[in-house]
Structures are given as C-alpha cells and as structure tokens.
Amino acid sequence: MSLLAVDIYAGFYTLLQILTFFFEVAGAALIIYGGIRAAVSVILLEFNKVDIKYNQIRMYLTSKIVFGLEFLIAADILATIIAPTQEELIMLAVVVVIRTVLGYFLEKEAVEFKIT
C-alpha cells in the first residue's frame, strides 16, 4: 500500500469520525431543544400565557424526536462504516430497527394529533 493511499484512508477515517460526532450532536440537540421548548410551552399553557393545545405541543415534541432519531441513525451507520465488525453490524441492525419502529409509531401518533 502506498503512502498516498494510507494518507487518503486516514483522512477518510477522520472525516467519518467527525461526521459521526456531528450527527450524534445534531440528533441529541434536536431532541433536547424539542423537549425544552415543549416543557416551556406546557408551563406557559398552565399559566394561560399562550393559546395553544396540549396536542400541538405533543405533535411538535414528537416531530423533533423523530427528526433527532434520523440523525442518530445516520451517526450509527457512519460509526459502523468506521469499525465494521460482525458485532457492530448486529448492533447497528438492532438499533436501526428499534429507532425505526419508535420513529414510525411516533410519526403515526403525530398524524393522529393532526386529525383530532
């Protein structure tokens, strides 16, 4: 393997690590932001400072959680590209299935709130 190929591989590996970290932070930030904003909305609703319904707050929070989960799934996929052992692949499959099912039901719940 030539020195240039090693440098390219090392650069690609570093880029994947940076992107994995970025997607993990972005996913977590979306979920945290959605949670904080929903909590503030509930508090303001309880003190009658806003004219909003609980279903709207739940729908907003659900959408942020689903969007954040998409970023976390992307981070898991990139992490597996970095270290593709059989254990990592099985773990990725389990995590993606769990997050996909969770995302599906949260999205379904959000649609039900839009109807009511």
Side-chain angles (χ1 to χ4, degrees):
M1 191 182 255
S2 71
L3 188 58
L4 179 61
V6 171
D7 286 344
I8 291 172
Y9 179 77
F12 183 69
Y13 181 81
T14 303
L15 177 64
L16 286 179
Q17 286 179 318
I18 291 168
L19 289 174
T20 299
F21 177 73
F22 172 76
F23 286 136
E24 287 173 343
V25 170
L30 279 167
I31 293 170
I32 292 167
Y33 171 73
I36 290 171
R37 185 164 171 195
V40 169
S41 295
V42 168
I43 291 169
L44 292 175
L45 178 64
E46 288 298 320
F47 291 110
N48 296 323
K49 303 246 184 211
V50 292
D51 187 28
I52 193 169
K53 297 184 182 197
Y54 281 113
N55 284 346
Q56 291 173 322
I57 297 170
R58 288 184 68 189
M59 188 172 61
Y60 176 80
L61 177 59
T62 299
S63 68
K64 290 299 181 207
I65 291 172
V66 169
F67 196 40
L69 285 174
E70 295 295 327
F71 276 95
L72 293 173
I73 289 171
D76 288 339
I77 291 170
L78 289 177
T80 302
I81 290 172
I82 294 171
T85 64
Q86 184 176 6
E87 183 179 320
E88 287 287 327
L89 291 173
I90 292 170
M91 187 65 83
L92 173 66
V94 169
V95 168
V96 167
V97 167
I98 291 170
R99 288 184 178 164
T100 302
V101 169
L102 181 63
Y104 170 77
F105 284 110
L106 287 172
E107 192 68 33
K108 186 176 178 181
E109 181 179 312
V111 170
E112 288 176 6
F113 284 131
K114 286 181 184 177
I115 294 172
T116 60

